[in-house]
Amino acid sequence: VPRIIFSARESGLVEQKSIEASQREHYDAIGSDYEAHYSDRWSLAYRDEFLLAPMFSGVELPGKKVLDAMCGGGQLAAFILDHGAEVWGLDISPVQVAALEKRCPEVKATVGSVFEMPFEDNSFDVVGICNALHHLHPHIDDALREIHRVLKPGGCFGFSEPHCPSLPDMMRKVWYRMDPLFEESEAAVDIGLVKSQVIDLFDFEHEVFCGNVAYIAVLNSMVLRLPLWLKPYYSPFLFKVERFLNRVLPSFLSCAVVCSWRKKG
Ligand SMILES: C[S@@+](CC[C@H](N)C(=O)[O-])C[C@H]1O[C@@H](n2cnc3c(N)ncnc32)[C@H](O)[C@@H]1O
């Protein structure tokens, strides 16, 4: 029987294809629940204030070409449109792309993978990713090289992700193992490691560690199975607590990191 020997690069590609297939299947299946929990009034308000505002602070958006990569239902795309940019959206799940088209008909929406994007080199002024790179573990650096390719020189890459090492991540790992909602390929982003992998490609401009009570119970209400009707009652109070704790908690006690990088050259 002939033995087929794969190089490390080939087996990496095979693994990427299998992550893409399982992510497509997963997000096609949970599409409407995901949309309900992550796009209600309180989740959108959470993203705008705590993730997207710091991600794009100081970034010029009006008139710029912006890609919401791994866009899901296009919550980041909607924020960017409101700031006067021309927006593209890309996601591996046709169900999520349909949700984007419904939310923002003006966005140019495409089904495709962030590992191999259907865009020319140096196409975008800005690329944004909200809470999705952690689904690509352990191939995040391959996606970052592709993002670098489609960004114009000096272009901005903004993203927010659950981060590690942190105490919330230790608790999340136990939860991930017990909860069928999560795929095996998910893992919080070790931002120090990732930066060391792409140090020759990007300048790291700013980084904010954040996310505590409202990140868990408002943004991620679906994970905790909190009913949507309860959110208006507890969210305003948790937003106040979150604002205060974000000022005092160190990175080890924060759930997420928000970063803004610039393509070198
Ligand atoms: C947690 S959701 C985040 C969606 C959205 N960015 C948000 O803020 O809610 C992760 C998204 O990444 C998409 N995704 C996973 N792997 C992908 C890949 N290889 N290329 C493009 N999209 C991918 C999924 O289909 C899903 O819509």
Side-chain angles (χ1 to χ4, degrees):
V1 179
R3 283 181 57 209
I4 301 170
I5 300 172
F6 288 115
S7 68
R9 172 156 171 73
E10 282 165 336
S11 49
L13 289 176
V14 171
E15 202 174 85
Q16 280 178 17
K17 291 288 163 214
S18 123
I19 294 173
E20 284 169 356
S22 69
Q23 285 287 303
R24 183 183 304 110
E25 192 182 332
H26 183 63
Y27 279 95
D28 278 354
I30 66 166
S32 54
D33 281 352
Y34 187 89
E35 183 64 14
H37 275 269
Y38 286 88
S39 296
D40 69 294
R41 178 183 162 206
W42 296 101
S43 285
L44 292 178
Y46 183 89
R47 276 163 206 277
D48 287 4
E49 174 175 345
F50 295 102
L51 304 179
L52 302 178
M55 191 186 294
F56 296 115
S57 116
V59 178
E60 212 191 307
L61 294 171
K64 299 292 179 189
K65 292 178 76 175
V66 181
L67 171 65
D68 180 357
M70 310 182 80
C71 59
Q75 298 87 350
L76 184 148
F79 177 90
I80 298 288
L81 270 180
D82 283 348
H83 286 75
E86 192 185 356
V87 185
W88 281 252
L90 175 102
D91 199 281
I92 197 80
S93 152
V95 170
Q96 296 296 326
V97 169
L100 162 70
E101 285 171 328
K102 193 167 164 206
R103 169 168 293 110
C104 311
E106 353 27 351
V107 168
K108 293 165 242 335
T110 311
V111 175
S113 176
V114 72
F115 288 128
E116 204 176 7
M117 294 196 265
F119 305 115
E120 304 276 317
D121 296 358
N122 308 321
S123 295
F124 296 102
D125 300 292
V126 177
V127 175
I129 293 190
C130 190
N131 294 352
L133 282 173
H134 65 282
H135 290 280
L136 306 177
H137 176 80
H139 296 285
I140 292 175
D141 55 323
D142 293 320
L144 295 177
R145 274 183 265 281
E146 184 65 354
I147 288 160
H148 176 269
R149 181 185 72 72
V150 302
L151 266 177
K152 295 179 186 173
C156 168
F157 173 44
F159 62 96
S160 64
E161 292 296 327
H163 92 100
C164 70
S166 71
L167 186 64
D169 183 54
M170 288 174 190
M171 298 191 284
R172 182 169 37 216
K173 273 185 183 147
V174 177
W175 190 293
Y176 273 32
R177 225 169 289 140
M178 296 181 318
D179 190 339
L181 202 58
F182 296 103
E183 298 286 286
E184 266 175 38
S185 63
E186 290 185 34
V189 174
D190 180 343
I191 198 67
L193 171 71
V194 164
K195 280 158 71 177
S196 73
Q197 292 169 325
V198 293
I199 195 163
D200 50 331
L201 303 181
F202 293 97
D203 290 319
F204 310 121
E205 293 209 323
H206 70 255
E207 185 167 288
V208 180
F209 290 93
C210 57
N212 47 82
V213 288
Y215 182 91
I216 295 168
V218 179
L219 183 66
N220 289 296
S221 58
M222 179 176 167
V223 177
L224 296 186
R225 276 68 168 180
L226 290 165
L228 281 167
W229 62 264
L230 255 187
K231 287 175 87 168
Y233 297 101
Y234 64 75
S235 298
F237 174 67
L238 293 193
F239 275 33
K240 286 188 186 146
V241 180
E242 176 104 359
R243 280 182 205 118
F244 171 74
L245 289 179
N246 271 349
R247 270 185 256 133
V248 296
L249 289 185
S251 64
F252 184 70
L253 295 179
S254 302
C255 294
V257 63
V258 179
C259 297
S260 183
W261 297 355
R262 212 160 271 286
K263 175 171 172 171
K264 287 189 176 177

